[in-house]
């Protein structure tokens, strides 16, 4: 602004409410003021105001501040601050803009434009009076302004007594001694307790040539408290009290911005969805709270634990751990899951977790990528059989990308007629005949080719497509059963796998009954295969369709027995007709038949049939037959095949062994 422009502006200001005056810093006198300034200074006339000597009442700290302003004006700076003035002993607060003004004799004066607090909002930042204080470079207080005394009392003698956090004070000393301005939000000890202040501190040289530290403080306590509450609300997962995804983003970005290496442990619960869907969300929530508790127990106090999503947790551990340390931490987490989670119907429920580990900066250097790496490693751990942890390796993320591709393509599989059904024979070893077929879903996508069935089912469960898909299977399988009965044997039945999710669908039983009716089939013509986890968790729920299946005389098989809860002691609680012993029992069949023998006897004693699946060799078939497993299924007896295969061959003779 040129001098001319300034004069024009000053004249114009007579019409403004803003109090404007020019102050001669060296003489401590106001040399020009507009009418509004008279009001602010509680002065009857220009003459009176211009005759006032401000030196008398001026504290050392104000004097020092003004000298610093003068230096700033010489550099062309403009200073905006909220000040308190004390005309005739009365306090007046105003938001001020201080700028340099060339006085008549060429010296630098100060142009002040002050808006009183009635005219400005009480925004905490702007509305905070500037609290001035000055110290010797060793921290000893020289002087504090009136607002300073109001906040901190008049007993304070050293900066040490002011700061809550001594690390911050040390930083202040170091930075100011290098002639750099120190700025931060800090907690200080006021007479009302610890409060937040915005601080800026500079080293200044006093008139006598001594160095001193000049502190400007602004009360931001209210704003900071509100901010912290809001942040807590926005960053916290209300169920577990852990930080949420947003909170984690902040921490990760902070570490990345400051180049602080860290490890991310992506923890995903195995089989949680089933618990949630079958036991209800209340119990599911209890489990999640317990999980968060166990994670906390295993972590150090500086580690960050986040509930990232439904049953996904992320642990952020600063400084990249060595492989050994990662192993110790992950093992501890996995081990903490060994203990029961909840007890339902006097049955203890255990859970497991899969963990993926990724490190910054080794594996990735931004938020999205590091999460994707840990997620991909976790997905890998799941694929390898869950209950384990895996370090991220390059290329793993392609697998998790695959999930989203599959999910997307799966939603079009029915309209695009990409599904087909394969039927695997189940043999009655006594007669040598096929007594049943298990229907198994097959999906061939034009780009993906055949997709693994278990993978398809898992993704269908995650995306909620499972209902639609299994209804399609049901309708098609019952239609095909009529044909199979014609060519194979009128007594053959159909075993249909139903997901635990679908079982909770109240319309499921009606759909089954409707389809049976449509094809003139009986309930005994089908067998619904449910995994033991589903059966166990839903057993005592009176409203569950599982009960309605039983009430409608639809047979139930316990599928994959031995892979989940597998407790023989609880079998008697389950009104199933058949127990399908999982193929994993066959791995040790050559040297240990005792377990299988025992299972067979106990299942028989409970009035159920035992079926063994996954028989691949003649030797296995014979051994198992000798143990009493009369009903068998496996590649040895027949691989799953499409309907057409059976329609073209007569199997009654083939299985007469
Ligand atoms: P599952 O119900 O235990 O079905 C038996 C699985 O074992 C089938 O795998 C079958 O092909 C395979 N298998 C049969 N005999 C042998 C053998 O001798 N050796 C070996 N190694 N494997 C054998 P598939 O078809 O891949 O199906 C996998 C799982 O997918 C099924 O396991 C079942 O749990 C699920 N599934 C298939 N279709 C459906 C469906 O419509 N709904 C639901 N919920 N699950 C389905
Ligand atoms: Mg099955
Ligand atoms: Mg099975």
């Amino acid at each position: 602004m040129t001098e001319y422009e300034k004069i024009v502006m000053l004249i114009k200001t007579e019409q403004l409410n803003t109090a404007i005056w020019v102050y001669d810093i060296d003489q401590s006198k106001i040399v020009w003021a507009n009418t509004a300034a008279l009001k602010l200074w509680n002065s009857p006339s220009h003459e009176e105001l211009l005759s006032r000597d401000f030196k008398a009442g001026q504290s050392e700290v104000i004097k020092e501040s003004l000298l610093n302003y003068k230096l700033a004006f010489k550099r062309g700076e403009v200073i905006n601050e909220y000040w308190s003035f004390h005309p005739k002993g009365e306090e007046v607060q105003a938001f001020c803009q201080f700028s340099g003004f060339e006085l008549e004799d060429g010296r630098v004066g100060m142009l002040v434009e002050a808006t009183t607090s009635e005219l400005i909002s009480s925004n905490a930042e702007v509305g905070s009076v500037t609290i001035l204080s000055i110290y010797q470079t060793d921290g000893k207080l020289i002087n504090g302004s009136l607002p300073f005394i109001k906040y901190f009392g008049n007993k304070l003698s050293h900066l040490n007594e002011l700061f809550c956090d001594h690390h911050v004070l040390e930083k202040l000393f170091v930075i100011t001694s290098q002639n750099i301005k120190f700025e931060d939000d800090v907690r200080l000890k006021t007479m009302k307790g610890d409060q937040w202040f915005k601080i800026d501190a500079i080293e200044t040289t006093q008139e006598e040539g001594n160095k001193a530290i000049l502190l400007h403080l602004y009360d931001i306590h209210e704003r900071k408290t509100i901010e912290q509450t809001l942040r807590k609300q926005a960053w916290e997962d209300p169920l577990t009290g852990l930080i949420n995804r947003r909170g984690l983003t902040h921490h990760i970005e902070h570490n990345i911005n400051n180049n602080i290496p860290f490890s991310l442990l992506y923890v995903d619960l195995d089989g949680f969805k089933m618990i949630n869907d079958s036991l209800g969300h209340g119990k599911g929530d209890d489990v999640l709270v317990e999980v968060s508790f166990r994670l906390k127990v295993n972590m150090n106090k500086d580690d960050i634990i986040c509930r990232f999503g439904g049953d996904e947790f992320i642990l952020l551990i600063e400084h990249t751990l060595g492989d050994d340390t990662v192993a110790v931490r992950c093992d501890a987490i996995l081990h903490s899951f060994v203990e029961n989670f909840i007890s339902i119907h006097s049955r203890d429920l255990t859970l497991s977790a899969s963990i993926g580990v990724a490190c910054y900066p080794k594996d990735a250097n931004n938020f999205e990528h590091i999460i994707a790496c840990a997620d991909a490693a976790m997905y890998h751990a799941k694929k390898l059989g869950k209950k384990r942890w895996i370090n991220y390796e390059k290329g793993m993320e392609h697998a998790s990308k695959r999930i989203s591709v599959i999910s997307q393509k799966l939603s079009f599989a029915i309209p695009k007629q990409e599904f087909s059904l394969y039927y695997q024979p189940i043999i009655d070893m006594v007669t040598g005949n096929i007594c049943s077929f298990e229907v198994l879903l097959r999906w061939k996508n034009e780009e993906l080719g055949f997709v693994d069935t278990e993978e398809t089912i898992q993704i269908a469960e995650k995306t909620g497509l499972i209902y639609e898909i299994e209804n399609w299977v049901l309708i098609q399988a019952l239609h095909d059963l009529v044909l199979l009965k014609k060519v194979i044997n009128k007594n053959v039945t159909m075993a249909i796998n139903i997901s635990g999710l679908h079982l909770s669908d109240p319309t499921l039983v009606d759909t089954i009954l409707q389809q049976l009716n449509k094809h003139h089939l009986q309930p005994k013509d089908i067998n619904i295969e449910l995994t033991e986890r589903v059966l166990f968790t839903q057993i005592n729920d009176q409203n569950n369709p599982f009960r309605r299946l039983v009430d409608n005389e639809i047979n139930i098989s316990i599928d994959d027995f031995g892979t989940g809860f597998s407790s023989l002691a609880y079998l008697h609680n389950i009104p199933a007709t058949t127990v399908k012993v999982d193929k994993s029992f066959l791995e040790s069949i050559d040297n240990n038949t005792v377990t299988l023998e025992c299972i067979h006897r106990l299942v028989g004693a409970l009035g159920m049939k035992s079926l063994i699946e996954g028989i691949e060799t003649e030797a296995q078939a014979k051994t198992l037959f000798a143990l009493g497993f009369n009903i068998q299924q496996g590649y040895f007896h027949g691989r799953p095949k499409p309907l057409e295969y059976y329609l073209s061959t007569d199997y009654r003779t083939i299985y007469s062994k």
Side-chain angles (χ1 to χ4, degrees), residues 45-103:
S45 65
H46 281 91
E47 291 71 36
E48 191 275 336
L49 184 61
L50 267 51
S51 68
R52 281 190 201 178
D53 180 5
F54 288 88
K55 193 177 263 157
Q58 203 170 62
S59 65
E60 196 159 345
V61 64
I62 302 277
K63 198 170 81 191
E64 200 56 44
S65 282
L66 293 176
L67 288 174
N68 271 288
Y69 285 1
K70 210 168 112 179
L71 294 176
F73 301 150
K74 282 184 180 160
R75 294 193 298 267
E77 288 172 22
V78 172
I79 296 159
N80 288 304
E81 289 214 317
Y82 201 63
W83 268 59
S84 79
F85 303 94
H86 299 86
K88 300 190 175 161
E90 293 254 329
E91 188 186 17
V92 178
Q93 298 184 351
F95 182 67
C96 303
Q97 187 172 87
F98 303 105
S99 55
F101 190 92
E102 198 183 320
L103 300 171

Coordinates of all heavy atoms in Angstrom, one line a residue, residues 45-103:
S45 N -11.7 13.1 23.4 CA -11.3 13.8 22.2 C -10.0 13.3 21.7 O -9.2 12.6 22.3 CB -11.1 15.3 22.6 OG -10.0 15.4 23.5
H46 N -9.8 13.7 20.4 CA -8.5 13.3 19.8 C -7.3 13.9 20.6 O -6.3 13.2 20.8 CB -8.5 13.9 18.4 CG -9.2 13.1 17.4 ND1 -10.6 13.3 17.1 CD2 -8.9 12.0 16.6 CE1 -11.0 12.4 16.2 NE2 -10.0 11.6 15.9
E47 N -7.5 15.1 21.0 CA -6.4 15.8 21.8 C -6.0 15.0 23.0 O -4.8 14.7 23.3 CB -6.7 17.2 22.2 CG -6.9 18.2 21.1 CD -8.2 18.0 20.3 OE1 -9.2 17.6 20.8 OE2 -8.1 18.1 19.0
E48 N -7.0 14.5 23.7 CA -6.8 13.8 24.9 C -6.0 12.5 24.6 O -5.0 12.1 25.2 CB -8.1 13.5 25.7 CG -7.9 13.0 27.1 CD -7.8 11.4 27.1 OE1 -8.2 10.7 26.2 OE2 -7.2 10.9 28.1
L49 N -6.5 11.8 23.6 CA -5.9 10.5 23.3 C -4.5 10.6 22.8 O -3.6 9.9 23.2 CB -6.8 9.8 22.2 CG -6.3 8.4 21.8 CD1 -6.4 7.4 23.1 CD2 -7.2 7.8 20.7
L50 N -4.3 11.7 21.9 CA -2.9 11.8 21.4 C -2.0 12.3 22.5 O -0.7 12.2 22.3 CB -3.0 12.8 20.2 CG -3.1 12.2 18.8 CD1 -4.3 11.3 18.7 CD2 -3.2 13.3 17.7
S51 N -2.5 12.9 23.5 CA -1.6 13.3 24.6 C -1.3 12.2 25.6 O -0.4 12.4 26.5 CB -2.3 14.5 25.4 OG -3.4 14.0 26.1
R52 N -2.0 11.1 25.5 CA -1.7 10.0 26.5 C -0.3 9.5 26.3 O 0.2 9.3 25.2 CB -2.7 8.9 26.3 CG -4.0 9.2 26.9 CD -4.9 7.9 26.9 NE -6.3 8.2 27.1 CZ -7.2 7.4 27.1 NH1 -7.0 6.1 26.9 NH2 -8.5 7.8 27.2
D53 N 0.3 9.2 27.4 CA 1.7 8.5 27.3 C 1.5 7.1 27.8 O 1.1 6.8 28.9 CB 2.6 9.2 28.3 CG 4.0 8.6 28.3 OD1 4.2 7.7 27.4 OD2 4.9 9.0 29.1
F54 N 1.7 6.2 26.8 CA 1.5 4.8 27.1 C 2.6 4.1 27.7 O 2.5 2.9 28.2 CB 1.1 4.0 25.8 CG -0.3 4.4 25.3 CD1 -0.5 5.5 24.4 CD2 -1.4 3.6 25.6 CE1 -1.7 5.8 24.0 CE2 -2.6 4.0 25.2 CZ -2.8 5.1 24.3
K55 N 3.8 4.8 27.8 CA 5.0 4.2 28.3 C 4.8 3.8 29.8 O 5.2 2.7 30.2 CB 6.2 5.1 28.2 CG 7.5 4.5 28.5 CD 8.6 5.4 28.3 CE 9.2 5.2 26.9 NZ 10.0 6.4 26.4
A56 N 4.1 4.7 30.6 CA 4.0 4.5 32.0 C 3.4 3.1 32.3 O 3.9 2.4 33.1 CB 3.2 5.6 32.6
G57 N 2.3 2.8 31.7 CA 1.6 1.6 32.1 C 2.0 0.4 31.3 O 1.5 -0.7 31.5
Q58 N 3.1 0.6 30.5 CA 3.4 -0.5 29.6 C 4.4 -1.6 30.3 O 5.4 -1.2 30.8 CB 4.1 0.0 28.4 CG 4.1 -0.9 27.2 CD 4.6 -0.1 26.0 OE1 5.8 0.3 25.9 NE2 3.7 0.1 25.0
S59 N 3.9 -2.8 30.3 CA 4.8 -3.8 30.9 C 5.9 -4.1 30.0 O 5.9 -3.8 28.8 CB 4.0 -5.1 31.2 OG 3.6 -5.6 30.0
E60 N 6.9 -4.8 30.5 CA 8.1 -5.2 29.8 C 7.8 -6.1 28.6 O 8.3 -5.9 27.5 CB 9.1 -5.9 30.7 CG 10.5 -5.9 30.0 CD 11.5 -6.1 31.1 OE1 11.2 -5.9 32.3 OE2 12.7 -6.5 30.7
V61 N 6.8 -7.0 28.8 CA 6.5 -7.9 27.8 C 5.8 -7.2 26.6 O 6.1 -7.6 25.5 CB 5.7 -9.1 28.4 CG1 4.3 -8.7 28.9 CG2 5.5 -10.2 27.3
I62 N 5.0 -6.3 26.9 CA 4.3 -5.5 25.8 C 5.3 -4.8 25.0 O 5.4 -4.8 23.8 CB 3.2 -4.5 26.4 CG1 2.2 -5.3 27.2 CG2 2.6 -3.7 25.3 CD1 1.1 -5.9 26.5
K63 N 6.2 -4.1 25.8 CA 7.3 -3.3 25.1 C 8.1 -4.2 24.1 O 8.3 -3.9 23.0 CB 8.2 -2.8 26.2 CG 9.1 -1.6 25.7 CD 9.8 -1.0 26.9 CE 11.0 -1.8 27.2 NZ 11.6 -1.3 28.5
E64 N 8.4 -5.4 24.7 CA 9.2 -6.4 23.9 C 8.4 -6.9 22.6 O 9.0 -6.9 21.5 CB 9.6 -7.6 24.8 CG 10.8 -8.3 24.3 CD 12.0 -7.5 24.1 OE1 12.3 -6.7 24.9 OE2 12.6 -7.6 23.0
S65 N 7.2 -7.1 22.9 CA 6.3 -7.6 21.7 C 6.3 -6.5 20.7 O 6.5 -6.8 19.5 CB 4.9 -7.8 22.2 OG 4.8 -9.0 22.9
L66 N 6.1 -5.2 21.1 CA 6.0 -4.2 20.1 C 7.3 -4.0 19.3 O 7.3 -3.7 18.1 CB 5.6 -2.9 20.8 CG 4.1 -2.9 21.3 CD1 3.8 -1.6 22.1 CD2 3.1 -3.1 20.2
L67 N 8.4 -4.2 20.0 CA 9.7 -4.1 19.3 C 9.8 -5.2 18.3 O 10.4 -5.0 17.2 CB 10.8 -4.1 20.3 CG 11.0 -2.8 21.2 CD1 12.1 -3.0 22.3 CD2 11.3 -1.6 20.3
N68 N 9.3 -6.3 18.6 CA 9.4 -7.4 17.7 C 8.5 -7.2 16.5 O 8.8 -7.5 15.4 CB 9.0 -8.7 18.4 CG 10.2 -9.4 18.9 OD1 11.0 -10.0 18.2 ND2 10.4 -9.4 20.2
Y69 N 7.3 -6.5 16.8 CA 6.4 -6.2 15.7 C 7.1 -5.3 14.7 O 7.0 -5.4 13.5 CB 5.1 -5.5 16.2 CG 4.1 -6.4 16.9 CD1 4.4 -7.8 17.1 CD2 2.9 -5.9 17.4 CE1 3.5 -8.6 17.7 CE2 2.0 -6.7 18.0 CZ 2.3 -8.1 18.2 OH 1.4 -8.9 18.8
K70 N 7.8 -4.3 15.3 CA 8.5 -3.3 14.5 C 9.5 -4.0 13.5 O 9.5 -3.7 12.3 CB 9.3 -2.3 15.4 CG 9.4 -1.0 14.8 CD 9.9 0.0 15.9 CE 11.3 0.4 15.5 NZ 11.9 1.4 16.5
L71 N 10.2 -5.0 14.0 CA 11.1 -5.7 13.2 C 10.3 -6.5 12.1 O 10.7 -6.5 10.9 CB 11.8 -6.8 14.0 CG 12.8 -6.2 15.0 CD1 13.5 -7.4 15.8 CD2 13.9 -5.4 14.3
A72 N 9.1 -7.0 12.5 CA 8.3 -7.7 11.5 C 7.8 -6.7 10.4 O 7.7 -7.1 9.2 CB 7.1 -8.4 12.2
F73 N 7.4 -5.5 10.9 CA 6.9 -4.5 9.9 C 7.9 -4.2 8.9 O 7.7 -4.0 7.7 CB 6.4 -3.3 10.6 CG 5.3 -3.5 11.6 CD1 5.1 -2.7 12.7 CD2 4.4 -4.6 11.4 CE1 4.1 -2.9 13.6 CE2 3.4 -4.8 12.4 CZ 3.2 -4.0 13.5
K74 N 9.2 -4.1 9.4 CA 10.3 -3.8 8.5 C 10.4 -4.8 7.4 O 10.9 -4.6 6.3 CB 11.6 -3.6 9.3 CG 11.7 -2.3 10.0 CD 13.0 -2.1 10.6 CE 13.1 -0.8 11.4 NZ 14.1 -0.7 12.4
R75 N 10.0 -6.1 7.8 CA 10.1 -7.2 6.8 C 8.8 -7.2 6.0 O 8.6 -8.1 5.2 CB 10.2 -8.5 7.5 CG 11.5 -8.7 8.3 CD 11.7 -10.1 8.7 NE 10.7 -10.6 9.6 CZ 10.8 -10.5 11.0 NH1 11.9 -10.0 11.5 NH2 9.8 -10.9 11.7
G76 N 7.9 -6.2 6.2 CA 6.7 -6.1 5.4 C 5.6 -7.1 5.9 O 4.6 -7.3 5.2
E77 N 5.7 -7.6 7.1 CA 4.7 -8.5 7.6 C 3.5 -7.8 8.2 O 3.6 -6.7 8.7 CB 5.3 -9.5 8.7 CG 6.3 -10.5 8.1 CD 7.0 -11.2 9.2 OE1 6.5 -11.3 10.3 OE2 8.1 -11.7 8.8
V78 N 2.4 -8.5 8.2 CA 1.1 -8.0 8.8 C 0.8 -9.0 9.9 O 0.9 -10.2 9.7 CB 0.0 -7.9 7.8 CG1 -1.3 -7.5 8.5 CG2 0.3 -6.8 6.7
I79 N 0.4 -8.5 11.1 CA 0.2 -9.4 12.2 C -1.3 -9.3 12.6 O -1.8 -8.2 12.8 CB 1.1 -9.1 13.4 CG1 2.5 -9.3 13.0 CG2 0.7 -9.9 14.6 CD1 3.5 -8.5 13.8
N80 N -2.0 -10.5 12.7 CA -3.3 -10.5 13.1 C -3.4 -11.1 14.5 O -2.9 -12.3 14.7 CB -4.2 -11.4 12.2 CG -4.4 -10.7 10.9 OD1 -4.9 -9.5 10.8 ND2 -4.0 -11.3 9.8
E81 N -3.9 -10.4 15.5 CA -3.9 -11.0 16.8 C -5.1 -10.4 17.6 O -5.7 -9.4 17.3 CB -2.7 -10.6 17.6 CG -1.5 -11.4 17.1 CD -0.5 -11.8 18.1 OE1 -0.2 -10.9 19.0 OE2 0.0 -12.9 18.1
Y82 N -5.5 -11.2 18.6 CA -6.6 -10.8 19.4 C -6.0 -10.2 20.7 O -5.3 -10.9 21.4 CB -7.4 -12.0 19.8 CG -8.8 -11.7 20.2 CD1 -9.7 -11.1 19.3 CD2 -9.3 -12.1 21.5 CE1 -11.0 -10.8 19.7 CE2 -10.6 -11.8 21.9 CZ -11.4 -11.2 21.0 OH -12.7 -10.9 21.4
W83 N -6.2 -8.9 20.9 CA -5.5 -8.2 22.0 C -6.5 -7.7 23.1 O -7.7 -7.5 22.8 CB -4.8 -7.0 21.5 CG -3.3 -7.3 21.2 CD1 -2.9 -8.3 20.3 CD2 -2.2 -6.7 21.7 NE1 -1.6 -8.3 20.2 CE2 -1.1 -7.4 21.1 CE3 -1.9 -5.7 22.7 CZ2 0.3 -7.0 21.4 CZ3 -0.6 -5.4 23.0 CH2 0.5 -6.0 22.3
S84 N -6.0 -7.6 24.3 CA -6.9 -6.9 25.3 C -6.2 -5.6 25.7 O -5.0 -5.5 25.9 CB -7.1 -7.8 26.5 OG -6.0 -7.8 27.3
F85 N -7.0 -4.5 25.6 CA -6.5 -3.2 26.0 C -7.1 -2.8 27.3 O -8.1 -3.4 27.7 CB -6.9 -2.2 24.9 CG -6.4 -2.5 23.6 CD1 -7.2 -3.2 22.7 CD2 -5.2 -2.1 23.1 CE1 -6.8 -3.6 21.4 CE2 -4.7 -2.5 21.9 CZ -5.5 -3.2 21.0
H86 N -6.5 -1.9 28.0 CA -7.0 -1.5 29.3 C -7.1 0.0 29.5 O -6.5 0.6 30.3 CB -6.1 -2.1 30.4 CG -6.1 -3.6 30.4 ND1 -5.2 -4.3 29.6 CD2 -6.9 -4.5 31.0 CE1 -5.4 -5.6 29.7 NE2 -6.4 -5.8 30.6
P87 N -8.0 0.6 28.6 CA -8.2 2.1 28.8 C -8.8 2.4 30.1 O -9.9 1.8 30.5 CB -9.1 2.4 27.6 CG -9.8 1.1 27.3 CD -8.9 0.0 27.7
K88 N -8.2 3.2 30.8 CA -8.7 3.7 32.2 C -9.0 2.5 33.1 O -10.0 2.4 33.7 CB -9.9 4.6 32.0 CG -9.5 5.9 31.2 CD -10.6 6.9 31.2 CE -10.1 8.2 30.5 NZ -11.2 9.1 30.1
G89 N -8.2 1.4 32.9 CA -8.4 0.3 33.8 C -9.4 -0.7 33.4 O -9.5 -1.8 34.0
E90 N -10.2 -0.4 32.4 CA -11.3 -1.3 32.0 C -10.8 -2.2 30.8 O -10.1 -1.7 29.9 CB -12.5 -0.5 31.4 CG -13.2 0.3 32.4 CD -14.5 -0.3 32.8 OE1 -15.1 -0.9 31.9 OE2 -14.9 -0.1 34.0
E91 N -11.1 -3.5 30.9 CA -10.5 -4.3 29.8 C -11.4 -4.3 28.6 O -12.6 -4.4 28.6 CB -10.4 -5.8 30.3 CG -9.7 -6.6 29.2 CD -9.7 -8.1 29.6 OE1 -10.5 -8.5 30.4 OE2 -8.9 -8.8 29.0
V92 N -10.8 -4.1 27.4 CA -11.5 -4.1 26.1 C -10.8 -5.1 25.2 O -9.5 -5.0 25.1 CB -11.6 -2.7 25.4 CG1 -12.3 -2.8 24.1 CG2 -12.2 -1.7 26.3
Q93 N -11.5 -6.0 24.7 CA -10.8 -7.0 23.8 C -11.2 -6.7 22.4 O -12.3 -6.3 22.0 CB -11.3 -8.4 24.1 CG -11.0 -8.8 25.5 CD -11.4 -10.2 25.9 OE1 -12.0 -10.9 25.1 NE2 -10.9 -10.7 27.0
A94 N -10.2 -6.8 21.5 CA -10.4 -6.5 20.1 C -9.5 -7.4 19.2 O -8.4 -7.8 19.6 CB -10.1 -5.1 19.8
F95 N -10.1 -7.7 18.0 CA -9.3 -8.4 17.1 C -8.5 -7.4 16.2 O -9.1 -6.5 15.7 CB -10.2 -9.3 16.2 CG -9.4 -10.0 15.2 CD1 -8.5 -11.1 15.6 CD2 -9.4 -9.8 13.8 CE1 -7.8 -11.8 14.7 CE2 -8.7 -10.5 12.9 CZ -7.9 -11.5 13.3
C96 N -7.2 -7.5 16.2 CA -6.4 -6.4 15.6 C -5.6 -6.9 14.5 O -5.0 -8.0 14.4 CB -5.4 -5.8 16.7 SG -6.2 -5.3 18.1
Q97 N -5.5 -5.9 13.5 CA -4.5 -6.1 12.5 C -3.4 -5.1 12.6 O -3.7 -3.9 12.6 CB -5.1 -6.0 11.1 CG -4.2 -6.4 10.0 CD -4.8 -6.5 8.7 OE1 -4.9 -5.5 8.0 NE2 -5.3 -7.7 8.3
F98 N -2.2 -5.5 12.8 CA -1.1 -4.6 13.0 C -0.2 -4.6 11.7 O 0.1 -5.6 11.2 CB -0.2 -5.0 14.2 CG -0.9 -5.2 15.5 CD1 -1.2 -6.4 16.0 CD2 -1.2 -4.0 16.2 CE1 -1.8 -6.5 17.2 CE2 -1.9 -4.2 17.5 CZ -2.2 -5.4 18.0
S99 N 0.0 -3.4 11.2 CA 0.9 -3.3 10.1 C 1.8 -2.1 10.2 O 1.6 -1.2 11.0 CB 0.1 -3.3 8.8 OG -0.8 -2.2 8.8
G100 N 2.9 -2.1 9.4 CA 3.8 -1.0 9.4 C 3.3 0.3 8.8 O 2.4 0.2 7.9
F101 N 3.7 1.4 9.4 CA 3.2 2.7 8.9 C 4.3 3.7 9.0 O 4.9 3.9 10.0 CB 2.0 3.2 9.7 CG 1.3 4.3 9.1 CD1 0.2 4.1 8.3 CD2 1.7 5.6 9.4 CE1 -0.5 5.2 7.8 CE2 1.0 6.7 8.9 CZ -0.1 6.5 8.1
E102 N 4.6 4.3 7.8 CA 5.8 5.2 7.9 C 5.4 6.6 8.5 O 4.4 7.2 8.0 CB 6.3 5.4 6.4 CG 7.7 6.0 6.4 CD 8.2 6.3 5.0 OE1 7.9 5.4 4.1 OE2 8.8 7.3 4.8
L103 N 6.0 6.9 9.6 CA 5.7 8.1 10.3 C 6.3 9.3 9.5 O 7.2 9.1 8.6 CB 6.2 8.1 11.7 CG 5.7 7.0 12.6 CD1 6.4 6.9 13.9 CD2 4.2 7.2 12.8

